Amino acid sequence: MTANAPITQDVLTLPRKLPEGGKINLVGLTRDQLRETLIAHGTPEKQAKMRVGQIWQWIYQWGKRDFAEMTNLAKAYRADLDEHFEIATPEVMSKQVSTDGTRKYLVRIAGGHEVEVVYIPEEGRGTLCISSQVGCTLTCSFCHTGTQKLVRNLTAAEIVGQIMMARDDLDEWPVPGAPKDETRLLSNIVLMGMGEPLYNFENVRDAMKIAMDPEGISLSRRRITLSTSGVVPEIARTAEEIGCLLAVSFHATTDEVRDKLVPINKRWNIEALLEALRAYPRLTNSERITFEYVMLNGVNDSDEDAHRLVELIKGIPAKVNLIPFNEWPGSPYTRSSNNRIHAFANIIYQAGYASPIRTPRGEDILAACGQLKSATERARKSRKQIEAEAGLNP
Ligand code: SAH
Ligand code: SF4
Protein backbone atom coordinates (compact mmCIF):
# COMPACT_ATOMS: atom_id res chain seq x y z
CA MET A 1 0.00 0.00 0.00
CA THR A 2 1.25 3.44 -0.90
CA ALA A 3 1.50 5.60 2.20
CA ASN A 4 -0.20 8.59 0.64
CA ALA A 5 -2.89 6.74 -1.25
CA PRO A 6 -6.07 8.81 -0.89
CA ILE A 7 -8.16 6.06 0.60
CA THR A 8 -9.07 7.31 4.02
CA GLN A 9 -12.65 7.75 5.11
CA ASP A 10 -12.09 10.36 7.77
CA VAL A 11 -15.35 12.11 7.13
CA LEU A 12 -18.13 12.80 9.51
CA THR A 13 -21.83 12.26 9.35
CA LEU A 14 -23.76 15.14 10.78
CA PRO A 15 -25.94 14.18 13.71
CA ARG A 16 -29.61 13.69 13.02
CA LYS A 17 -30.53 16.36 15.53
CA LEU A 18 -28.72 19.57 14.96
CA PRO A 19 -27.38 21.41 18.02
CA GLU A 20 -29.87 24.29 17.81
CA GLY A 21 -32.40 22.00 19.48
CA GLY A 22 -34.58 21.60 16.41
CA LYS A 23 -37.11 18.86 15.99
CA ILE A 24 -35.97 15.28 15.47
CA ASN A 25 -36.37 14.10 11.90
CA LEU A 26 -38.19 10.77 11.74
CA VAL A 27 -37.05 10.12 8.17
CA GLY A 28 -34.17 7.68 7.91
CA LEU A 29 -34.78 5.91 11.22
CA THR A 30 -35.01 2.14 11.02
CA ARG A 31 -38.19 0.62 12.47
CA ASP A 32 -36.30 -0.16 15.68
CA GLN A 33 -34.88 3.34 15.94
CA LEU A 34 -38.29 4.83 15.28
CA ARG A 35 -39.76 2.71 18.07
CA GLU A 36 -37.08 3.80 20.54
CA THR A 37 -37.47 7.43 19.56
CA LEU A 38 -41.24 7.36 20.05
CA ILE A 39 -40.91 5.67 23.43
CA ALA A 40 -38.25 8.16 24.53
CA HIS A 41 -40.74 10.93 23.85
CA GLY A 42 -43.67 9.50 25.72
CA THR A 43 -45.35 6.90 23.50
CA PRO A 44 -46.34 4.05 25.86
CA GLU A 45 -44.25 0.96 25.20
CA LYS A 46 -47.32 -1.19 24.70
CA GLN A 47 -48.53 0.99 21.85
CA ALA A 48 -45.15 1.59 20.27
CA LYS A 49 -45.21 -1.23 17.72
CA MET A 50 -48.59 -0.20 16.39
CA ARG A 51 -47.65 3.48 16.27
CA VAL A 52 -44.46 2.67 14.37
CA GLY A 53 -46.50 0.76 11.80
CA GLN A 54 -48.98 3.61 11.40
CA ILE A 55 -46.46 6.42 11.21
CA TRP A 56 -44.22 4.38 8.90
CA GLN A 57 -47.06 3.93 6.43
CA TRP A 58 -47.97 7.60 6.47
CA ILE A 59 -44.40 8.61 5.77
CA TYR A 60 -43.21 5.99 3.31
CA GLN A 61 -46.36 4.63 1.73
CA TRP A 62 -48.46 7.78 1.41
CA GLY A 63 -45.66 10.34 1.40
CA LYS A 64 -47.16 12.52 4.13
CA ARG A 65 -45.05 15.20 5.78
CA ASP A 66 -47.61 16.62 8.16
CA PHE A 67 -48.63 14.79 11.32
CA ALA A 68 -52.04 16.48 11.15
CA GLU A 69 -52.86 14.30 8.14
CA MET A 70 -52.27 11.04 10.03
CA THR A 71 -55.97 10.51 10.56
CA ASN A 72 -55.79 7.12 12.27
CA LEU A 73 -53.94 8.68 15.20
CA ALA A 74 -55.66 10.56 18.02
CA LYS A 75 -55.62 14.32 17.59
CA ALA A 76 -53.76 14.91 20.84
CA TYR A 77 -51.10 12.36 19.84
CA ARG A 78 -50.65 14.02 16.45
CA ALA A 79 -50.10 17.35 18.18
CA ASP A 80 -47.62 15.66 20.47
CA LEU A 81 -45.68 14.24 17.56
CA ASP A 82 -45.63 17.60 15.85
CA GLU A 83 -44.10 19.16 18.93
CA HIS A 84 -41.07 16.87 18.98
CA PHE A 85 -40.64 15.59 15.46
CA GLU A 86 -40.54 16.50 11.81
CA ILE A 87 -40.63 14.63 8.52
CA ALA A 88 -37.96 16.35 6.51
CA THR A 89 -36.37 15.62 3.15
CA PRO A 90 -33.58 17.49 1.36
CA GLU A 91 -34.61 20.85 -0.02
CA VAL A 92 -34.64 21.20 -3.80
CA MET A 93 -32.56 24.22 -4.74
CA SER A 94 -32.84 23.83 -8.49
CA LYS A 95 -34.13 21.43 -11.08
CA GLN A 96 -32.96 21.14 -14.65
CA VAL A 97 -34.67 19.09 -17.32
CA SER A 98 -32.60 17.81 -20.24
CA THR A 99 -33.87 17.66 -23.80
CA ASP A 100 -33.90 13.86 -23.34
CA GLY A 101 -36.18 14.07 -20.28
CA THR A 102 -33.45 13.48 -17.72
CA ARG A 103 -34.03 15.57 -14.61
CA LYS A 104 -31.17 16.83 -12.48
CA TYR A 105 -31.90 18.16 -9.03
CA LEU A 106 -29.56 20.08 -6.81
CA VAL A 107 -30.65 19.50 -3.23
CA ARG A 108 -29.49 21.17 -0.07
CA ILE A 109 -28.80 19.22 3.10
CA ALA A 110 -27.87 20.23 6.65
CA GLY A 111 -24.82 22.44 6.89
CA GLY A 112 -25.64 24.08 3.56
CA HIS A 113 -24.02 21.29 1.54
CA GLU A 114 -25.42 20.35 -1.81
CA VAL A 115 -25.69 17.09 -3.67
CA GLU A 116 -27.04 16.16 -7.06
CA VAL A 117 -29.75 13.64 -7.82
CA VAL A 118 -30.58 12.51 -11.35
CA TYR A 119 -33.79 10.95 -12.66
CA ILE A 120 -33.47 9.03 -15.91
CA PRO A 121 -36.72 8.04 -17.65
CA GLU A 122 -36.49 5.05 -19.94
CA GLU A 123 -38.91 2.78 -21.80
CA GLY A 124 -40.79 0.85 -19.12
CA ARG A 125 -38.77 2.11 -16.19
CA GLY A 126 -37.32 5.12 -14.47
CA THR A 127 -34.04 5.15 -12.63
CA LEU A 128 -33.04 7.51 -9.87
CA CYS A 129 -29.33 8.02 -9.45
CA ILE A 130 -28.70 9.02 -5.86
CA SER A 131 -25.70 10.31 -3.94
CA SER A 132 -24.21 8.85 -0.77
CA GLN A 133 -21.65 11.54 0.09
CA VAL A 134 -20.98 15.18 -0.54
CA GLY A 135 -17.96 14.87 -2.81
CA CYS A 136 -15.80 11.76 -2.49
CA THR A 137 -12.60 10.99 -0.59
CA LEU A 138 -11.38 8.96 -3.53
CA THR A 139 -9.76 10.74 -6.39
CA CYS A 140 -10.43 8.78 -9.56
CA SER A 141 -8.69 10.86 -12.16
CA PHE A 142 -11.51 10.80 -14.72
CA CYS A 143 -14.28 11.70 -12.27
CA HIS A 144 -15.51 15.23 -11.66
CA THR A 145 -16.81 14.39 -8.18
CA GLY A 146 -13.32 13.22 -7.22
CA THR A 147 -11.96 16.73 -7.77
CA GLN A 148 -14.26 18.19 -5.14
CA LYS A 149 -12.47 18.97 -1.90
CA LEU A 150 -15.32 19.03 0.54
CA VAL A 151 -16.55 15.66 1.76
CA ARG A 152 -19.11 14.50 4.23
CA ASN A 153 -21.22 11.39 4.55
CA LEU A 154 -24.93 11.72 3.99
CA THR A 155 -27.22 10.55 6.77
CA ALA A 156 -29.72 7.76 6.11
CA ALA A 157 -32.41 10.46 6.11
CA GLU A 158 -30.61 12.40 3.41
CA ILE A 159 -30.18 9.28 1.29
CA VAL A 160 -33.74 7.96 1.46
CA GLY A 161 -34.87 11.60 1.39
CA GLN A 162 -33.56 11.89 -2.17
CA ILE A 163 -35.99 9.15 -3.22
CA MET A 164 -38.86 10.85 -1.38
CA MET A 165 -37.99 14.18 -2.95
CA ALA A 166 -38.05 12.62 -6.43
CA ARG A 167 -41.40 10.95 -5.76
CA ASP A 168 -42.72 14.37 -4.75
CA ASP A 169 -41.47 15.91 -7.95
CA LEU A 170 -42.85 13.05 -10.08
CA ASP A 171 -46.09 13.28 -8.13
CA GLU A 172 -45.88 9.57 -7.51
CA TRP A 173 -47.26 8.98 -4.02
CA PRO A 174 -50.29 6.72 -4.19
CA VAL A 175 -53.67 8.06 -3.20
CA PRO A 176 -55.44 6.04 -0.48
CA GLY A 177 -58.31 4.06 -1.96
CA ALA A 178 -57.28 4.60 -5.59
CA PRO A 179 -56.43 1.51 -7.70
CA LYS A 180 -52.78 0.52 -7.53
CA ASP A 181 -50.78 1.70 -10.49
CA GLU A 182 -48.15 -0.90 -11.34
CA THR A 183 -46.10 1.13 -13.78
CA ARG A 184 -43.81 3.17 -11.64
CA LEU A 185 -42.11 6.29 -12.85
CA LEU A 186 -39.44 5.70 -10.25
CA SER A 187 -38.83 1.96 -10.47
CA ASN A 188 -35.07 1.61 -9.99
CA ILE A 189 -32.38 3.08 -7.80
CA VAL A 190 -28.71 3.27 -8.64
CA LEU A 191 -26.18 4.40 -6.04
CA MET A 192 -24.06 6.01 -8.73
CA GLY A 193 -24.24 9.66 -7.86
CA MET A 194 -21.69 11.49 -5.78
CA GLY A 195 -19.60 9.54 -3.31
CA GLU A 196 -18.41 6.03 -2.53
CA PRO A 197 -21.41 4.24 -0.97
CA LEU A 198 -19.29 1.61 0.75
CA TYR A 199 -17.45 4.32 2.67
CA ASN A 200 -20.79 5.25 4.18
CA PHE A 201 -22.04 1.71 4.65
CA GLU A 202 -24.44 1.95 7.61
CA ASN A 203 -26.31 4.97 6.36
CA VAL A 204 -26.60 3.54 2.85
CA ARG A 205 -27.79 0.22 4.27
CA ASP A 206 -30.41 1.77 6.53
CA ALA A 207 -31.69 4.00 3.74
CA MET A 208 -31.96 1.09 1.29
CA LYS A 209 -33.72 -1.06 3.91
CA ILE A 210 -36.30 1.69 4.22
CA ALA A 211 -36.68 1.93 0.44
CA MET A 212 -37.17 -1.85 0.25
CA ASP A 213 -39.63 -2.11 3.15
CA PRO A 214 -42.83 -3.67 1.75
CA GLU A 215 -45.00 -1.28 3.74
CA GLY A 216 -43.50 1.79 2.18
CA ILE A 217 -41.63 2.72 -0.97
CA SER A 218 -41.35 -1.02 -1.51
CA LEU A 219 -38.66 -1.30 -4.13
CA SER A 220 -37.36 -4.81 -4.76
CA ARG A 221 -33.73 -5.41 -3.83
CA ARG A 222 -33.26 -6.43 -7.47
CA ARG A 223 -34.11 -2.92 -8.54
CA ILE A 224 -31.35 -1.35 -6.49
CA THR A 225 -27.78 -1.31 -7.78
CA LEU A 226 -24.90 -0.15 -5.65
CA SER A 227 -21.79 0.95 -7.50
CA THR A 228 -18.45 0.75 -5.74
CA SER A 229 -14.97 1.65 -6.82
CA GLY A 230 -13.83 -1.50 -5.00
CA VAL A 231 -13.96 -1.24 -1.21
CA VAL A 232 -13.19 -4.92 -0.90
CA PRO A 233 -13.92 -5.53 2.82
CA GLU A 234 -17.45 -4.14 2.48
CA ILE A 235 -18.47 -6.17 -0.57
CA ALA A 236 -19.53 -9.30 1.31
CA ARG A 237 -21.44 -7.13 3.78
CA THR A 238 -23.31 -5.53 0.91
CA ALA A 239 -24.67 -8.93 -0.05
CA GLU A 240 -25.48 -9.93 3.51
CA GLU A 241 -26.90 -6.73 4.90
CA ILE A 242 -28.43 -5.03 1.87
CA GLY A 243 -28.83 -7.78 -0.72
CA CYS A 244 -28.95 -5.41 -3.66
CA LEU A 245 -27.22 -5.82 -7.01
CA LEU A 246 -23.61 -4.81 -7.36
CA ALA A 247 -21.76 -2.77 -9.94
CA VAL A 248 -18.03 -2.28 -9.84
CA SER A 249 -16.05 0.57 -11.34
CA PHE A 250 -13.44 -1.61 -12.99
CA HIS A 251 -12.12 0.65 -15.74
CA ALA A 252 -8.72 -1.00 -16.33
CA THR A 253 -7.17 -4.40 -16.92
CA THR A 254 -3.75 -3.95 -15.35
CA ASP A 255 -2.90 -2.75 -11.86
CA GLU A 256 -0.59 -0.18 -13.37
CA VAL A 257 -3.39 1.56 -15.24
CA ARG A 258 -6.02 0.98 -12.55
CA ASP A 259 -3.75 2.52 -9.91
CA LYS A 260 -3.89 5.73 -11.94
CA LEU A 261 -7.57 5.71 -12.82
CA VAL A 262 -9.04 4.30 -9.60
CA PRO A 263 -6.48 4.96 -6.84
CA ILE A 264 -8.23 2.69 -4.35
CA ASN A 265 -6.60 -0.03 -6.44
CA LYS A 266 -3.36 0.71 -4.57
CA ARG A 267 -5.07 -0.55 -1.43
CA TRP A 268 -7.09 -3.42 -2.95
CA ASN A 269 -5.78 -4.45 -6.32
CA ILE A 270 -7.49 -6.20 -9.21
CA GLU A 271 -6.82 -9.66 -7.82
CA ALA A 272 -8.23 -8.84 -4.38
CA LEU A 273 -11.26 -7.20 -5.96
CA LEU A 274 -11.97 -10.15 -8.24
CA GLU A 275 -11.72 -12.54 -5.33
CA ALA A 276 -14.38 -10.59 -3.43
CA LEU A 277 -16.58 -10.50 -6.53
CA ARG A 278 -16.27 -14.24 -7.08
CA ALA A 279 -17.66 -14.72 -3.58
CA TYR A 280 -20.64 -12.38 -4.14
CA PRO A 281 -23.76 -14.52 -4.06
CA ARG A 282 -25.80 -14.51 -7.23
CA LEU A 283 -29.04 -16.37 -7.23
CA THR A 284 -30.10 -15.92 -10.84
CA ASN A 285 -28.53 -14.77 -14.05
CA SER A 286 -30.39 -11.49 -13.74
CA GLU A 287 -28.26 -10.77 -10.69
CA ARG A 288 -24.99 -10.70 -12.56
CA ILE A 289 -22.35 -8.28 -11.43
CA THR A 290 -22.05 -5.22 -13.61
CA PHE A 291 -18.50 -4.27 -14.53
CA GLU A 292 -18.44 -0.59 -15.34
CA TYR A 293 -15.77 0.38 -17.80
CA VAL A 294 -15.26 3.98 -18.82
CA MET A 295 -13.86 4.30 -22.34
CA LEU A 296 -10.86 6.61 -22.32
CA ASN A 297 -9.17 7.31 -25.59
CA GLY A 298 -5.76 5.61 -25.76
CA VAL A 299 -5.73 4.78 -22.04
CA ASN A 300 -7.75 1.61 -21.48
CA ASP A 301 -9.56 0.97 -24.75
CA SER A 302 -7.30 -1.33 -26.83
CA ASP A 303 -8.21 -4.78 -28.18
CA GLU A 304 -5.63 -6.20 -25.75
CA ASP A 305 -7.51 -4.55 -22.89
CA ALA A 306 -10.75 -6.16 -24.05
CA HIS A 307 -9.13 -9.60 -24.24
CA ARG A 308 -7.51 -9.16 -20.83
CA LEU A 309 -10.82 -8.06 -19.35
CA VAL A 310 -12.51 -11.21 -20.61
CA GLU A 311 -9.75 -13.33 -19.06
CA LEU A 312 -10.00 -11.53 -15.73
CA ILE A 313 -13.74 -11.89 -15.29
CA LYS A 314 -13.84 -15.51 -16.41
CA GLY A 315 -16.11 -17.52 -14.13
CA ILE A 316 -17.98 -14.51 -12.76
CA PRO A 317 -21.56 -14.11 -14.01
CA ALA A 318 -21.07 -10.64 -15.36
CA LYS A 319 -22.12 -7.99 -17.77
CA VAL A 320 -19.81 -5.25 -18.90
CA ASN A 321 -21.28 -1.78 -19.08
CA LEU A 322 -19.20 0.38 -21.38
CA ILE A 323 -19.46 4.05 -20.46
CA PRO A 324 -18.29 6.53 -23.09
CA PHE A 325 -16.25 9.02 -21.08
CA ASN A 326 -18.22 12.13 -20.21
CA GLU A 327 -16.00 15.12 -20.45
CA TRP A 328 -16.15 17.91 -17.91
CA PRO A 329 -14.44 21.29 -17.84
CA GLY A 330 -10.73 20.61 -17.44
CA SER A 331 -10.95 16.82 -17.67
CA PRO A 332 -7.59 15.18 -18.47
CA TYR A 333 -8.98 12.53 -20.85
CA THR A 334 -10.99 12.30 -24.01
CA ARG A 335 -13.68 9.86 -25.03
CA SER A 336 -12.78 6.85 -27.18
CA SER A 337 -14.14 6.97 -30.70
CA ASN A 338 -17.40 5.21 -31.48
CA ASN A 339 -15.55 2.70 -33.66
CA ARG A 340 -13.15 1.89 -30.85
CA ILE A 341 -15.98 1.47 -28.33
CA HIS A 342 -17.85 -0.85 -30.69
CA ALA A 343 -14.76 -2.93 -31.45
CA PHE A 344 -14.11 -3.27 -27.71
CA ALA A 345 -17.74 -4.17 -27.03
CA ASN A 346 -17.66 -6.79 -29.76
CA ILE A 347 -14.68 -8.65 -28.30
CA ILE A 348 -16.46 -8.89 -24.95
CA TYR A 349 -19.70 -9.92 -26.58
CA GLN A 350 -17.96 -12.63 -28.61
CA ALA A 351 -16.61 -14.03 -25.36
CA GLY A 352 -20.16 -14.52 -24.10
CA TYR A 353 -20.80 -11.44 -21.99
CA ALA A 354 -23.42 -8.77 -22.53
CA SER A 355 -21.55 -5.56 -23.30
CA PRO A 356 -24.03 -2.71 -23.62
CA ILE A 357 -22.71 0.74 -24.41
CA ARG A 358 -24.30 3.22 -22.09
CA THR A 359 -26.01 6.11 -23.79
CA PRO A 360 -24.96 9.28 -22.03
CA ARG A 361 -28.05 10.94 -20.59
CA GLY A 362 -28.63 14.54 -19.74
CA GLU A 363 -25.31 15.70 -21.15
CA ASP A 364 -26.66 19.15 -21.89
CA ILE A 365 -27.24 19.67 -18.15
CA LEU A 366 -24.02 17.93 -16.99
CA ALA A 367 -26.07 15.12 -15.47
CA ALA A 368 -24.16 12.22 -17.00
CA CYS A 369 -21.97 9.82 -15.00
CA GLY A 370 -19.03 11.47 -13.36
CA GLN A 371 -20.18 14.97 -14.16
CA LEU A 372 -21.92 15.56 -10.88
CA LYS A 373 -20.56 18.29 -8.77
CA SER A 374 -22.37 20.87 -6.74
CA ALA A 375 -23.01 24.31 -8.11
CA THR A 376 -21.30 25.99 -5.19
CA GLU A 377 -18.14 24.05 -5.89
CA ARG A 378 -18.33 24.83 -9.58
CA ALA A 379 -18.71 28.48 -8.78
CA ARG A 380 -15.61 28.36 -6.61
CA LYS A 381 -13.60 26.68 -9.38
CA SER A 382 -14.64 29.06 -12.06
CA ARG A 383 -13.91 32.07 -9.89
CA LYS A 384 -10.38 30.71 -9.48
CA GLN A 385 -10.11 30.22 -13.20
CA ILE A 386 -11.33 33.72 -13.79
CA GLU A 387 -8.78 35.06 -11.32
CA ALA A 388 -6.04 33.13 -13.06
CA GLU A 389 -7.10 34.45 -16.43
CA ALA A 390 -7.13 37.95 -15.07
CA GLY A 391 -3.57 37.49 -13.83
CA LEU A 392 -4.60 37.71 -10.15
CA ASN A 393 -3.45 34.21 -9.38
CA PRO A 394 -0.10 33.63 -11.12
N1 SAH B 1 -18.22 5.98 -6.27
C1 SAH B 1 -18.94 4.95 -6.91
C2 SAH B 1 -20.27 5.37 -7.49
C3 SAH B 1 -20.35 6.68 -8.21
S1 SAH B 1 -19.62 6.83 -9.79
C4 SAH B 1 -18.07 4.31 -7.95
O1 SAH B 1 -17.04 4.85 -8.30
O2 SAH B 1 -18.44 3.24 -8.42
C5 SAH B 1 -20.70 6.03 -10.94
C6 SAH B 1 -19.95 5.53 -12.20
O3 SAH B 1 -19.62 6.60 -13.08
C7 SAH B 1 -18.66 4.85 -11.84
O4 SAH B 1 -18.47 3.68 -12.59
C8 SAH B 1 -17.66 5.90 -12.24
O5 SAH B 1 -16.41 5.33 -12.41
C9 SAH B 1 -18.27 6.46 -13.48
N2 SAH B 1 -17.70 7.74 -13.89
C10 SAH B 1 -17.11 8.66 -13.11
N3 SAH B 1 -16.70 9.72 -13.86
C11 SAH B 1 -17.06 9.46 -15.13
C12 SAH B 1 -16.94 10.19 -16.35
N4 SAH B 1 -16.40 11.40 -16.38
N5 SAH B 1 -17.42 9.63 -17.47
C13 SAH B 1 -18.03 8.42 -17.42
N6 SAH B 1 -18.18 7.70 -16.30
C14 SAH B 1 -17.70 8.21 -15.16
FE1 SF4 C 1 -15.46 8.69 -6.00
FE2 SF4 C 1 -16.67 6.96 -7.67
FE3 SF4 C 1 -15.81 9.38 -8.56
FE4 SF4 C 1 -14.05 7.49 -7.90
S1 SF4 C 1 -15.56 7.38 -9.58
S2 SF4 C 1 -13.94 9.67 -7.33
S3 SF4 C 1 -15.05 6.50 -6.19
S4 SF4 C 1 -17.42 9.02 -7.05
Side-chain angles (χ1 to χ4, degrees), residues 248-279:
V248 175
S249 294
F250 210 65
H251 304 323
T253 60
T254 64
D255 281 323
E256 196 195 347
V257 175
R258 196 161 190 272
D259 279 352
K260 291 208 183 84
L261 298 180
V262 190
I264 200 174
N265 195 68
K266 295 181 204 163
R267 175 94 174 252
W268 295 289
N269 65 14
I270 290 179
E271 196 189 326
L273 176 58
L274 289 172
E275 197 182 314
L277 298 179
R278 285 209 172 81

Side-chain angles (χ1 to χ4, degrees), residues 4 53 71 87 94 105 107 156 190 211 295 298 302 310 333 380 385:
N4 63 354
T71 48
I87 302 164
S94 70
Y105 309 92
V107 301
V190 292
M295 297 299 290
S302 68
V310 166
Y333 304 106
R380 199 179 310 147
Q385 281 163 0

Side-chain angles (χ1 to χ4, degrees), residues 136-147:
C136 184
T137 49
L138 299 165
T139 52
C140 303
S141 50
F142 54 88
C143 174
H144 204 191
T145 304
T147 67

Side-chain angles (χ1 to χ4, degrees), residues 210-226:
I210 293 169
M212 290 187 278
D213 191 291
E215 273 176 58
I217 299 165
S218 189
L219 283 167
S220 154
R221 64 175 187 84
R222 283 182 222 88
R223 289 184 173 273
I224 299 175
T225 303
L226 182 151

Side-chain angles (χ1 to χ4, degrees), residues 7-25:
I7 33 113
T8 52
Q9 50 167 324
D10 53 347
V11 293
L12 70 158
T13 303
L14 283 196
R16 175 174 310 286
K17 190 166 185 265
L18 292 169
E20 309 92 70
K23 294 179 179 183
I24 297 174
N25 188 7

Side-chain angles (χ1 to χ4, degrees), residues 129-133 135-136 138 140-146 190-198 226-230 247-251 258 261-262 291-296 321-328 331 333 335 358 368-372:
C129 179
I130 61 176
S131 295
S132 56
Q133 298 182 310
C136 184
L138 299 165
C140 303
S141 50
F142 54 88
C143 174
H144 204 191
T145 304
V190 292
L191 280 147
M192 294 187 186
M194 297 165 74
E196 168 49 59
L198 296 188
L226 182 151
S227 174
T228 180
S229 58
V248 175
S249 294
F250 210 65
H251 304 323
R258 196 161 190 272
L261 298 180
V262 190
F291 284 77
E292 297 165 281
Y293 199 97
V294 63
M295 297 299 290
L296 303 171
N321 226 330
L322 299 174
I323 316 175
F325 175 59
N326 295 309
E327 295 183 23
W328 35 272
S331 60
Y333 304 106
R335 180 185 290 186
R358 196 181 286 174
C369 299
Q371 292 183 315
L372 302 184

Side-chain angles (χ1 to χ4, degrees), residues 17 24 26 29 32-45 48 52 77 80-81 84-85:
K17 190 166 185 265
I24 297 174
L26 296 186
L29 299 177
D32 285 347
Q33 288 167 341
L34 181 55
R35 181 172 183 278
E36 284 157 27
T37 306
L38 293 178
I39 291 170
H41 287 84
T43 300
E45 243 185 280
V52 166
Y77 187 60
D80 227 35
L81 292 172
H84 299 295
F85 307 124

